[in-house]
Amino acid sequence: MKVYLDYAATTPLDPRVLDAMKPYFYKKFGNSMSLHSWGREAKQALEDARETVAKFMNAKTEEIIFTGSATESINSVLKGIAFANKEKGKHIITSSIEHHAVLESCKWLEKQGFEITYLPVDKYGFIDLEKLKASIRNDTVLVSIMHANNEIGTIEPIEEIGKICKEKGVLFHTDAVQSFGKIPIDVNKMNIDLLSISAHKFYGPKGVGATFIRKGTKIEPLLHGGGHEFGLRSSTENVAGAVGLAEAVRLRKKEMRPEEKKLTKLRDYLIKNILKIENSHLNGHPVKRLSNNANFWFAFIEGEALVIQLDSYGIAASTGSACSSSTLEPSHVLMAIGLKHEEAHGSLRISLGKYTKKSEIDYTIKVLPKVVENLRKISPFKGKWK
Ligand code: PLP
């Protein structure tokens, strides 16, 4: 049996999205900047796509900029706002559990002379709103707090954060990569000034993302060139990609609510059964989390070993341990919520999606306890650490 439970890493393209994109690769291949009919056709498709994305989050059409990814969107926002507003100040606030796209951009900005405050989080991964308020200074130009965490699924109180930023007159950016298309987002109701998304996280194509930039926001472009995307992101537009992203958004509109219900049930069923394993723990909040996210830590074992063993049973999941890093640093998110090194190393993220079946969760519930037990038998940690 092959079971894909890594939807937080990426999702398969919905076949209907592919169908919508296809013509824009060959028949309707024009450059959206050209004046002839091929160009106009591409431009129309691009603007229709922009409108669909804008409406979904209650933004204006001209407030949506297509990008090559969420990473690009996040880099453009953080660097673009920092450089455009440095006369006002050079202070930015973010959280300690952001995605690396945010954290590494912040580190780079620190090297350029900007000052970053990294807000701590509680044991569930929530930022403290009072600490946020207290951290905002006269020279603060941006607050960037993610909507939902990619590892533990915690959903931050975005509306309250937006309200605080608005009251204090500071721009607010949210990395909505994991939440967009799963939970409703209204940029006006939530007082969001800037927002980043990535199509491949909601059944759209890889290599295309978007940024919402509230009208009138002072921002420097990252890419200079032919002046595409209102001068904010030069380079010939990926029309097929934008059409795909928009089609994925259109489908989310219809499918988001019923899917949330189905996944919440499946997720809770999975969590209930996995927690029957001795010395297993849930990371993140029991209910204020994404409907598709479950994250555990198991005493005495390594997350990487778990992922490899599960893979041998055909199950795809992921771990918060840094398998690609030679330093073997555990996940910064799990450390920030207070786990010890060895606890964070024993973590496993299981993320569900629209194609997940109950039979697949049953199979996982059957396999995982066996895998944990086998790994514990050979664990060098057992006995040394309790
Ligand atoms: N932000 C979050 C919360 C993510 O989960 C990801 C991807 O995993 C990104 C940003 C970066 O997205 P992309 O790799 O599509 O640029």
Side-chain angles (χ1 to χ4, degrees), residues 8-9 69-72 74 99 101 146 148-150 175 177-178 198 200-201:
S69 67
T71 300
E72 183 200 312
I74 291 165
H99 187 269
M146 70 200 317
N149 185 265
N150 47 304
D175 168 355
V177 170
Q178 293 290 340
S198 202
H200 73 100
K201 304 285 187 182

Side-chain angles (χ1 to χ4, degrees), residues 310-321:
L310 284 175
D311 186 45
S312 74
Y313 284 91
I315 299 171
S318 80
T319 176
S321 312

Side-chain angles (χ1 to χ4, degrees), residues 200-217:
H200 73 100
K201 304 285 187 182
F202 52 96
Y203 313 97
K206 290 175 180 60
V208 57
T211 316
F212 156 73
I213 306 175
R214 186 173 292 285
K215 214 172 170 180
T217 304

Side-chain angles (χ1 to χ4, degrees), residues 101-117:
V102 170
L103 293 178
E104 292 301 315
S105 295
C106 285
K107 270 196 210 162
W108 184 82
L109 283 168
E110 279 176 319
K111 283 192 210 142
Q112 315 308 314
F114 292 87
E115 194 188 332
I116 317 285
T117 297

Side-chain angles (χ1 to χ4, degrees), residues 153-347:
T154 300
I155 302 167
E156 299 294 338
I158 287 303
E159 202 168 328
E160 285 92 323
I161 297 170
K163 195 162 166 255
I164 292 169
C165 292
K166 194 173 182 189
E167 277 165 14
K168 298 261 188 182
V170 176
L171 292 171
F172 172 41
H173 167 246
T174 189
D175 168 355
V177 170
Q178 293 290 340
S179 60
F180 187 83
K182 294 194 187 84
I183 43 181
I185 294 177
D186 179 325
V187 290
N188 295 319
K189 195 165 154 240
M190 294 169 152
N191 289 309
I192 297 165
D193 297 302
L194 303 119
L195 174 142
S196 302
I197 61 169
S198 202
H200 73 100
K201 304 285 187 182
F202 52 96
Y203 313 97
K206 290 175 180 60
V208 57
T211 316
F212 156 73
I213 306 175
R214 186 173 292 285
K215 214 172 170 180
T217 304
K218 240 174 107 184
I219 184 164
E220 279 293 332
L222 204 63
L223 301 185
H224 300 93
H228 308 75
E229 298 294 297
F230 315 112
L232 288 173
R233 202 266 186 182
S234 289
S235 79
T236 302
E237 278 122 339
N238 175 5
V239 178
V243 166
L245 186 148
E247 182 62 10
V249 166
R250 216 178 53 77
L251 295 172
R252 294 318 295 157
K253 222 168 154 176
K254 285 194 282 185
E255 296 174 2
M256 183 165 88
R257 285 292 194 193
E259 191 181 297
E260 188 185 10
K261 262 192 174 163
K262 171 193 134 178
L263 292 184
T264 304
K265 248 166 108 176
L266 276 180
R267 178 202 68 191
D268 291 346
Y269 173 66
L270 172 80
I271 291 175
K272 193 177 96 194
N273 280 283
I274 296 307
L275 290 181
K276 287 180 186 162
I277 300 173
E278 206 189 333
N279 269 313
S280 63
H281 309 265
L282 181 72
N283 294 319
H285 195 275
V287 286
K288 288 181 187 166
R289 68 188 307 135
L290 290 173
S291 59
N292 75 326
N293 173 291
N295 191 311
F296 307 94
W297 70 268
F298 302 95
F300 318 124
I301 45 182
E302 288 278 347
E304 282 96 333
L306 258 178
V307 168
I308 293 163
Q309 284 296 310
L310 284 175
D311 186 45
S312 74
Y313 284 91
I315 299 171
S318 80
T319 176
S321 312
C323 39
S324 57
S325 153
S326 54
T327 57
L328 273 181
E329 277 299 310
S331 145
H332 65 285
V333 176
L334 299 178
M335 296 300 284
I337 61 170
L339 262 61
K340 297 196 191 95
H341 265 246
E342 57 276 26
E343 294 170 348
H345 271 304
S347 72

